[in-house]
Amino acid sequence: MSSRTIGKIVSIGTNGIVAEVYDSLGSYVNTVDGIRFVGEVGSYVSIYEIGRTIIAEIESVAEKSSIVNGHNLNKANSKIFLNLIGEIIDNKFFFGVSKMPLIFSEVNIISEKDLMIMLEVGNEEEEVEEGKTRALLLPIGESVIFSDYTVKINIDKFFGFHFAVFGNTGAGKSNTIA
């Protein structure tokens, strides 16, 4: 169990993936990246497996209390419900998961390195010839969940497919595209 480990998967099924948060944890854990909140809805967690790291988002949290013979034992822990987003293989992020994680796999708070791979923070441009560069990523705004991160899109991937911009009259669609 590392300093990032917050629980383990206890259920995998059609209703999704459920992990149980270790009851020895408080509301926060101290990691190399700083102090992180445990079980925050909308935050990301990672599940390490051989050859890949699965990334999931915490969709909801439920409290589970221990009641035996009608008596509350004051021993409570939380269950977190996970939505699998994608996986990191060879330091590249791919949306979707090739196979489900194993039951009883440890669930960890996402590391700064994995978060940067997932959000494609890194090489923003490449040199095409001496003295000339080409942009690879286009910043489009700030992340609501991770205030330190600028949300960027991969220009080649985004404009390589169809896309649409919707909005009310005067909302700034043309300016956004320009």
Side-chain angles (χ1 to χ4, degrees), residues 124-128 132-136 155-156:
E124 295 189 18
E125 54 185 40
E126 67 181 355
E127 190 169 343
V128 288
K132 294 184 179 181
T133 59
R134 179 177 86 89
L136 299 173
I155 295 170
D156 293 336

Side-chain angles (χ1 to χ4, degrees), residues 103-154:
I103 189 123
F104 305 123
S105 295
E106 288 187 333
V107 176
N108 306 281
I109 292 175
I110 193 167
S111 70
E112 198 82 14
K113 178 185 172 213
D114 290 343
L115 186 61
M116 289 174 71
I117 290 170
M118 186 183 122
L119 297 175
E120 293 192 287
V121 177
N123 298 335
E124 295 189 18
E125 54 185 40
E126 67 181 355
E127 190 169 343
V128 288
E129 57 184 70
E130 196 170 326
K132 294 184 179 181
T133 59
R134 179 177 86 89
L136 299 173
L137 301 175
L138 176 67
I140 59 170
E142 296 292 322
S143 171
V144 175
I145 299 172
F146 305 104
S147 57
D148 297 343
Y149 292 99
T150 302
V151 177
K152 301 173 184 172
I153 58 170
N154 182 305

